[in-house]
Protein backbone atom coordinates (compact mmCIF):
# COMPACT_ATOMS: atom_id res chain seq x y z
CA UNK A 1 0.00 0.00 0.00
CA UNK A 2 1.04 3.59 -0.51
CA UNK A 3 1.85 5.45 2.70
CA UNK A 4 1.12 9.15 3.12
CA UNK A 5 4.72 10.23 2.45
CA UNK A 6 4.36 8.93 -1.12
CA UNK A 7 1.08 10.73 -1.88
CA UNK A 8 1.20 13.75 -4.21
CA UNK A 9 -2.43 14.90 -4.57
CA UNK A 10 -4.89 16.19 -1.98
CA UNK A 11 -8.67 16.58 -2.08
CA UNK A 12 -11.02 18.24 0.39
CA UNK A 13 -14.79 18.24 0.63
CA UNK A 14 -16.39 21.13 -1.26
CA UNK A 15 -18.42 21.79 1.90
CA UNK A 16 -15.25 22.34 3.93
CA UNK A 17 -13.95 24.77 1.30
CA UNK A 18 -17.28 26.63 1.37
CA UNK A 19 -17.90 26.69 5.13
CA UNK A 20 -14.32 27.42 6.26
CA UNK A 21 -12.92 29.51 3.38
CA UNK A 22 -10.12 31.15 5.39
CA UNK A 23 -8.73 27.85 6.70
CA UNK A 24 -9.13 26.26 3.28
CA UNK A 25 -7.25 29.15 1.66
CA UNK A 26 -4.40 28.86 4.15
CA UNK A 27 -4.09 25.14 3.43
CA UNK A 28 -4.41 25.71 -0.31
CA UNK A 29 -1.71 28.40 -0.28
CA UNK A 30 0.74 26.05 1.46
CA UNK A 31 0.01 23.23 -0.99
CA UNK A 32 0.34 25.59 -3.97
CA UNK A 33 3.66 26.91 -2.67
CA UNK A 34 5.05 23.37 -2.85
CA UNK A 35 3.29 22.50 -6.13
CA UNK A 36 1.06 19.89 -4.50
CA UNK A 37 -1.97 19.24 -6.69
CA UNK A 38 -5.21 19.74 -4.77
CA UNK A 39 -8.91 20.30 -5.30
CA UNK A 40 -12.42 19.85 -3.95
CA UNK A 41 -14.71 16.82 -4.10
CA UNK A 42 -18.25 17.55 -5.25
CA UNK A 43 -21.54 16.09 -3.95
CA UNK A 44 -20.22 15.52 -0.42
CA UNK A 45 -22.54 15.67 2.60
CA UNK A 46 -19.90 16.29 5.26
CA UNK A 47 -16.26 17.35 5.60
CA UNK A 48 -14.67 14.01 6.47
CA UNK A 49 -13.72 12.70 3.04
CA UNK A 50 -11.01 10.42 4.46
CA UNK A 51 -13.76 8.15 5.74
CA UNK A 52 -15.89 7.59 2.64
CA UNK A 53 -13.30 7.80 -0.15
CA UNK A 54 -11.49 4.65 -1.38
CA UNK A 55 -8.08 3.64 -0.02
CA UNK A 56 -5.23 3.52 -2.49
CA UNK A 57 -3.26 0.32 -2.75
CA UNK A 58 -1.17 0.93 -5.87
CA UNK A 59 -0.95 3.37 -8.78
CA UNK A 60 -4.55 3.00 -9.92
CA UNK A 61 -5.67 0.26 -7.52
CA UNK A 62 -8.11 1.20 -4.75
CA UNK A 63 -10.25 -0.50 -2.11
CA UNK A 64 -13.74 0.86 -1.45
CA UNK A 65 -15.20 -0.13 1.89
CA UNK A 66 -18.89 0.32 2.73
CA UNK A 67 -19.55 3.68 4.35
CA UNK A 68 -22.25 2.98 6.93
CA UNK A 69 -21.07 4.82 10.08
CA UNK A 70 -23.17 3.95 13.12
CA UNK A 71 -22.59 7.42 14.56
CA UNK A 72 -24.58 8.89 11.62
CA UNK A 73 -27.55 6.54 11.94
CA UNK A 74 -29.70 9.35 13.33
CA UNK A 75 -28.03 12.00 11.11
CA UNK A 76 -28.62 10.78 7.54
CA UNK A 77 -28.20 14.32 6.20
CA UNK A 78 -24.44 13.99 6.85
CA UNK A 79 -23.97 10.63 5.14
CA UNK A 80 -22.22 10.97 1.78
CA UNK A 81 -23.19 8.76 -1.15
CA UNK A 82 -19.83 7.95 -2.72
CA UNK A 83 -21.11 7.15 -6.23
CA UNK A 84 -21.80 10.72 -7.44
CA UNK A 85 -18.57 11.89 -5.79
CA UNK A 86 -16.50 9.40 -7.78
CA UNK A 87 -18.43 10.05 -11.00
CA UNK A 88 -17.59 13.75 -10.77
CA UNK A 89 -13.86 12.98 -10.63
CA UNK A 90 -11.72 12.70 -13.75
CA UNK A 91 -9.33 10.17 -12.22
CA UNK A 92 -9.36 6.64 -13.59
CA UNK A 93 -9.42 4.24 -10.66
CA UNK A 94 -9.49 0.46 -10.54
CA UNK A 95 -11.68 0.03 -7.43
CA UNK A 96 -12.22 -3.23 -5.57
CA UNK A 97 -15.52 -3.19 -3.66
CA UNK A 98 -15.32 -4.68 -0.16
CA UNK A 99 -18.38 -6.01 1.71
CA UNK A 100 -16.94 -4.69 5.00
CA UNK A 101 -18.08 -1.53 6.77
CA UNK A 102 -14.93 0.48 7.56
CA UNK A 103 -14.19 4.21 7.76
CA UNK A 104 -10.99 5.35 6.07
CA UNK A 105 -9.97 7.05 9.32
CA UNK A 106 -9.64 3.60 10.85
CA UNK A 107 -6.99 2.55 8.32
CA UNK A 108 -3.50 3.90 8.99
CA UNK A 109 -0.81 2.42 6.77
CA UNK A 110 2.61 2.19 8.40
CA UNK A 111 5.85 0.66 7.19
CA UNK A 112 8.64 -1.46 8.56
CA UNK A 113 11.89 -2.55 7.04
CA UNK A 114 13.12 -6.05 7.69
CA UNK A 115 16.82 -6.58 8.44
CA UNK A 116 18.88 -7.24 5.32
CA UNK A 117 15.92 -6.33 3.07
CA UNK A 118 15.96 -3.41 0.66
CA UNK A 119 12.21 -2.89 0.52
CA UNK A 120 9.77 -1.97 3.28
CA UNK A 121 6.53 -3.79 3.96
CA UNK A 122 3.21 -2.27 5.00
CA UNK A 123 1.51 -2.86 8.33
CA UNK A 124 -2.04 -1.58 8.69
CA UNK A 125 -3.24 -0.33 12.08
CA UNK A 126 -6.96 -0.43 12.91
CA UNK A 127 -9.09 -0.40 16.05
CA UNK A 128 -11.26 -3.35 16.97
CA UNK A 129 -14.38 -1.30 16.36
CA UNK A 130 -14.48 -2.83 12.89
CA UNK A 131 -15.62 -6.13 14.44
CA UNK A 132 -18.66 -4.40 15.96
CA UNK A 133 -19.41 -2.61 12.69
CA UNK A 134 -19.36 -5.98 10.91
CA UNK A 135 -20.93 -8.07 13.67
CA UNK A 136 -23.21 -9.80 11.14
CA UNK A 137 -20.08 -11.52 9.77
CA UNK A 138 -18.06 -14.09 11.71
CA UNK A 139 -14.78 -12.68 13.02
CA UNK A 140 -12.72 -15.25 11.09
CA UNK A 141 -14.46 -14.25 7.86
CA UNK A 142 -13.87 -10.55 8.55
CA UNK A 143 -10.17 -11.29 8.96
CA UNK A 144 -10.10 -13.34 5.76
CA UNK A 145 -11.78 -10.55 3.78
CA UNK A 146 -9.36 -7.98 5.18
CA UNK A 147 -6.38 -10.14 4.22
CA UNK A 148 -7.74 -10.37 0.69
CA UNK A 149 -8.55 -6.65 0.49
CA UNK A 150 -5.11 -5.70 1.77
CA UNK A 151 -3.27 -8.30 -0.35
CA UNK A 152 -2.05 -10.23 2.68
CA UNK A 153 -0.56 -7.24 4.52
CA UNK A 154 -0.16 -7.62 8.27
CA UNK A 155 -2.79 -5.89 10.41
CA UNK A 156 -2.37 -4.67 14.00
CA UNK A 157 -5.66 -4.28 15.88
CA UNK A 158 -5.77 -1.79 18.74
CA UNK A 159 -8.33 -1.84 21.56
CA UNK A 160 -11.26 0.50 21.00
CA UNK A 161 -11.83 3.25 23.54
CA UNK A 162 -15.62 3.32 23.36
CA UNK A 163 -15.79 6.93 24.51
CA UNK A 164 -14.57 7.66 20.97
CA UNK A 165 -17.67 6.86 18.92
CA UNK A 166 -15.74 6.87 15.63
CA UNK A 167 -13.11 4.35 16.75
CA UNK A 168 -10.52 5.62 14.28
CA UNK A 169 -6.75 5.14 14.40
CA UNK A 170 -5.75 8.37 12.64
CA UNK A 171 -5.96 10.20 15.97
CA UNK A 172 -3.87 7.52 17.70
CA UNK A 173 -0.92 6.84 15.44
CA UNK A 174 1.08 8.56 12.69
CA UNK A 175 3.51 6.70 10.45
CA UNK A 176 6.95 8.30 10.63
CA UNK A 177 8.57 5.64 8.46
CA UNK A 178 11.40 3.12 8.80
CA UNK A 179 9.48 1.21 11.45
CA UNK A 180 8.84 4.25 13.64
CA UNK A 181 5.42 5.61 14.66
CA UNK A 182 4.33 8.69 16.59
CA UNK A 183 1.55 8.28 19.16
CA UNK A 184 -0.31 10.38 21.70
CA UNK A 185 -1.53 7.72 24.12
CA UNK A 186 -1.73 10.05 27.10
CA UNK A 187 -5.23 11.13 26.06
CA UNK A 188 -6.53 7.56 26.54
CA UNK A 189 -7.46 5.69 29.73
CA UNK A 190 -4.36 4.11 31.26
CA UNK A 191 -5.42 0.48 30.74
CA UNK A 192 -6.28 1.03 27.08
CA UNK A 193 -3.14 3.10 26.48
CA UNK A 194 -0.92 0.37 27.93
CA UNK A 195 -2.52 -2.27 25.73
CA UNK A 196 -2.18 -0.05 22.65
CA UNK A 197 1.51 0.43 23.40
CA UNK A 198 2.05 -3.29 23.99
CA UNK A 199 0.55 -4.24 20.64
CA UNK A 200 2.29 -1.48 18.68
CA UNK A 201 5.67 -2.21 20.28
CA UNK A 202 5.65 -5.69 18.76
CA UNK A 203 6.07 -4.13 15.31
CA UNK A 204 7.28 -0.55 15.69
CA UNK A 205 9.54 1.79 17.57
CA UNK A 206 6.88 3.79 19.41
CA UNK A 207 7.60 7.50 19.95
CA UNK A 208 5.39 9.46 22.32
CA UNK A 209 4.32 13.03 21.63
CA UNK A 210 5.42 14.74 24.84
CA UNK A 211 3.41 17.76 25.89
CA UNK A 212 3.68 19.93 29.00
CA UNK A 213 -0.09 19.67 29.37
CA UNK A 214 -2.59 17.32 27.73
CA UNK A 215 -5.83 18.80 26.44
CA UNK A 216 -8.89 16.73 25.49
CA UNK A 217 -8.13 17.64 21.86
CA UNK A 218 -4.39 16.86 21.98
CA UNK A 219 -5.03 13.80 19.80
CA UNK A 220 -5.46 16.21 16.87
CA UNK A 221 -1.71 16.84 16.60
CA UNK A 222 -1.34 13.24 15.39
CA UNK A 223 -4.09 13.81 12.82
CA UNK A 224 -1.88 15.74 10.41
CA UNK A 225 -1.94 16.11 6.64
CA UNK A 226 1.11 14.60 4.96
CA UNK A 227 2.12 14.30 1.33
CA UNK A 228 5.41 13.57 -0.42
CA UNK A 229 6.23 17.29 -0.39
CA UNK A 230 4.72 18.81 2.73
CA UNK A 231 3.38 18.15 6.26
CA UNK A 232 0.69 20.36 7.81
CA UNK A 233 0.13 19.93 11.55
CA UNK A 234 -3.15 21.00 13.20
CA UNK A 235 -2.92 23.91 15.59
CA UNK A 236 -5.32 24.17 18.53
CA UNK A 237 -4.58 27.70 19.69
CA UNK A 238 -2.82 26.27 22.75
CA UNK A 239 0.70 26.77 24.18
CA UNK A 240 1.38 23.11 23.31
CA UNK A 241 1.00 23.84 19.58
CA UNK A 242 4.67 24.78 19.28
CA UNK A 243 5.76 21.81 21.41
CA UNK A 244 3.97 19.41 19.07
CA UNK A 245 5.26 21.16 15.94
CA UNK A 246 8.89 21.07 17.05
CA UNK A 247 8.75 17.35 17.85
CA UNK A 248 7.15 16.55 14.51
CA UNK A 249 9.85 18.59 12.73
CA UNK A 250 12.54 16.66 14.60
CA UNK A 251 11.01 13.33 13.57
CA UNK A 252 10.89 14.33 9.87
CA UNK A 253 14.30 15.86 9.04
CA UNK A 254 13.84 15.19 5.32
CA UNK A 255 10.93 17.66 5.38
CA UNK A 256 13.06 20.57 6.62
CA UNK A 257 11.42 23.84 5.63
CA UNK A 258 8.28 22.03 4.51
CA UNK A 259 6.41 21.49 7.79
CA UNK A 260 3.69 23.97 8.71
CA UNK A 261 1.02 24.45 11.33
CA UNK A 262 -2.51 25.72 10.65
CA UNK A 263 -4.89 26.59 13.47
CA UNK A 264 -8.09 24.59 12.99
CA UNK A 265 -9.29 24.80 16.61
CA UNK A 266 -12.90 25.77 15.71
CA UNK A 267 -13.27 22.65 13.54
CA UNK A 268 -11.69 20.28 16.05
CA UNK A 269 -13.74 21.65 18.94
CA UNK A 270 -17.07 21.67 17.11
CA UNK A 271 -16.80 18.57 14.92
CA UNK A 272 -14.10 16.36 16.46
CA UNK A 273 -11.90 15.91 13.39
CA UNK A 274 -8.59 17.30 12.17
CA UNK A 275 -6.49 17.51 8.99
CA UNK A 276 -6.11 13.83 8.11
CA UNK A 277 -9.88 13.45 8.53
CA UNK A 278 -10.54 16.52 6.35
CA UNK A 279 -8.37 15.37 3.45
CA UNK A 280 -8.21 12.53 0.97
CA UNK A 281 -4.74 11.91 -0.41
CA UNK A 282 -3.67 9.87 -3.39
CA UNK A 283 -0.65 9.34 -5.59
CA UNK A 284 -1.20 10.35 -9.20
CA UNK A 285 2.34 9.54 -10.29
CA UNK A 286 3.76 7.31 -7.53
CA UNK A 287 6.59 9.73 -6.76
CA UNK A 288 7.15 10.59 -10.39
CA UNK A 289 7.95 7.06 -11.56
CA UNK A 290 6.40 5.61 -14.67
CA UNK A 291 4.08 2.97 -13.25
CA UNK A 292 2.34 0.02 -14.79
CA UNK A 293 -0.74 -1.77 -13.48
CA UNK A 294 1.33 -4.97 -13.41
CA UNK A 295 3.46 -3.39 -10.68
CA UNK A 296 0.39 -3.07 -8.49
CA UNK A 297 -0.32 -6.75 -8.91
Amino acid sequence: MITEQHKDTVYFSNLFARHYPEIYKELSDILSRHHVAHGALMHTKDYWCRDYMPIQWGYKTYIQFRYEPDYLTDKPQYKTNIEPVLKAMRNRMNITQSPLIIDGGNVVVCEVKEPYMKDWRPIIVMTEKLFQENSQIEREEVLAILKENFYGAEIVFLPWDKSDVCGHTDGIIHNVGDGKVLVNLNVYPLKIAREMRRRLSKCFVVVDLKLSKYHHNSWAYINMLQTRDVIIVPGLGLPTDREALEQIKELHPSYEGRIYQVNIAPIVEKWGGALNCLSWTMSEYVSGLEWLLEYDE
Side-chain angles (χ1 to χ4, degrees):
M1 293 186 77
I2 300 177
T3 53
E4 296 303 301
Q5 61 261 50
H6 298 293
K7 306 287 185 69
D8 51 39
T9 304
V10 182
Y11 285 93
F12 301 96
S13 161
N14 65 309
L15 289 180
F16 166 58
R18 189 193 314 163
H19 294 170
Y20 292 93
E22 293 181 1
I23 295 176
Y24 178 76
K25 184 179 184 305
E26 189 172 357
L27 293 169
S28 181
D29 287 348
I30 293 170
L31 295 171
S32 296
R33 195 177 310 151
H34 293 277
H35 309 288
V36 179
H38 58 284
L41 299 167
M42 305 307 294
H43 309 297
T44 61
K45 294 286 187 68
D46 72 7
Y47 310 139
W48 317 114
C49 52
R50 179 73 58 171
D51 291 332
Y52 45 79
M53 291 298 286
I55 295 169
Q56 189 172 15
W57 174 267
Y59 174 36
K60 291 191 181 295
T61 308
Y62 296 77
I63 306 156
Q64 180 71 64
F65 292 104
R66 289 172 57 201
Y67 182 59
E68 299 287 347
D70 52 8
Y71 50 86
L72 292 184
T73 301
D74 59 346
K75 300 173 183 176
Q77 69 273 23
Y78 294 128
K79 184 176 175 291
T80 294
N81 179 359
I82 190 60
E83 290 186 14
V85 179
L86 293 175
K87 282 182 180 178
M89 297 180 67
R90 290 177 295 179
N91 306 75
R92 291 190 304 110
M93 292 183 279
N94 178 22
I95 298 177
T96 297
Q97 299 290 337
S98 174
L100 298 180
I101 298 172
I102 298 175
D103 289 353
N106 196 22
V107 180
V108 174
V109 184
C110 302
E111 62 183 18
V112 295
K113 207 168 188 180
E114 301 293 354
Y116 312 112
M117 288 183 65
K118 185 173 70 172
D119 297 326
W120 60 272
R121 65 181 176 88
I123 294 182
I124 297 153
V125 183
M126 311 177 73
T127 71
E128 293 173 335
K129 189 191 178 187
L130 81 100
F131 296 113
Q132 174 175 304
E133 292 172 310
N134 297 279
S135 58
Q136 74 281 7
I137 305 175
E138 292 292 330
R139 184 184 178 105
E140 292 74 17
E141 187 177 351
V142 170
L143 293 172
I145 295 171
L146 280 175
K147 279 289 185 182
E148 181 179 355
N149 290 159
F150 292 140
Y151 295 83
E154 183 178 349
I155 305 170
V156 173
F157 295 104
L158 299 182
W160 171 32
D161 175 12
K162 294 185 180 179
S163 66
D164 171 16
V165 295
C166 296
H168 294 171
T169 46
D170 60 358
I172 300 173
I173 181 172
H174 164 74
N175 174 52
V176 176
D178 292 327
K180 188 181 295 184
V181 295
L182 177 66
V183 300
N184 194 358
L185 302 183
N186 289 288
V187 298
Y188 292 94
L190 183 59
K191 184 177 180 180
I192 291 176
R194 283 176 174 170
E195 184 60 19
M196 286 180 176
R197 185 184 306 280
R198 186 187 71 81
R199 297 184 191 183
L200 291 171
S201 296
K202 290 181 177 181
C203 301
F204 308 107
V205 174
V206 179
V207 180
D208 287 278
L209 187 66
K210 297 177 181 177
L211 304 174
S212 57
K213 186 176 182 180
Y214 292 92
H215 186 269
H216 65 273
N217 286 331
S218 294
W219 60 268
Y221 295 130
I222 299 290
N223 198 276
M224 66 192 82
L225 168 59
Q226 181 176 16
T227 73
R228 180 187 62 195
D229 301 298
V230 69
I231 293 175
I232 308 177
V233 181
L236 299 174
L238 299 172
T240 50
D241 285 0
R242 178 164 293 277
E243 297 173 17
L245 180 62
E246 291 306 315
Q247 288 173 68
I248 290 167
K249 285 182 176 180
E250 187 176 344
L251 282 170
H252 299 85
S254 65
Y255 280 82
E256 184 175 359
R258 297 181 289 133
I259 300 180
Y260 300 84
Q261 191 164 53
V262 173
N263 190 332
I264 62 165
I267 298 174
V268 176
E269 190 62 42
K270 183 174 182 178
W271 301 107
L275 288 178
N276 188 76
C277 305
L278 287 166
S279 59
W280 180 62
T281 52
M282 61 182 293
S283 178
E284 282 275 19
Y285 302 106
V286 189
S287 301
L289 298 176
E290 182 178 355
W291 205 258
L292 300 175
L293 188 60
E294 288 84 354
Y295 292 177
D296 289 349
E297 295 169 354

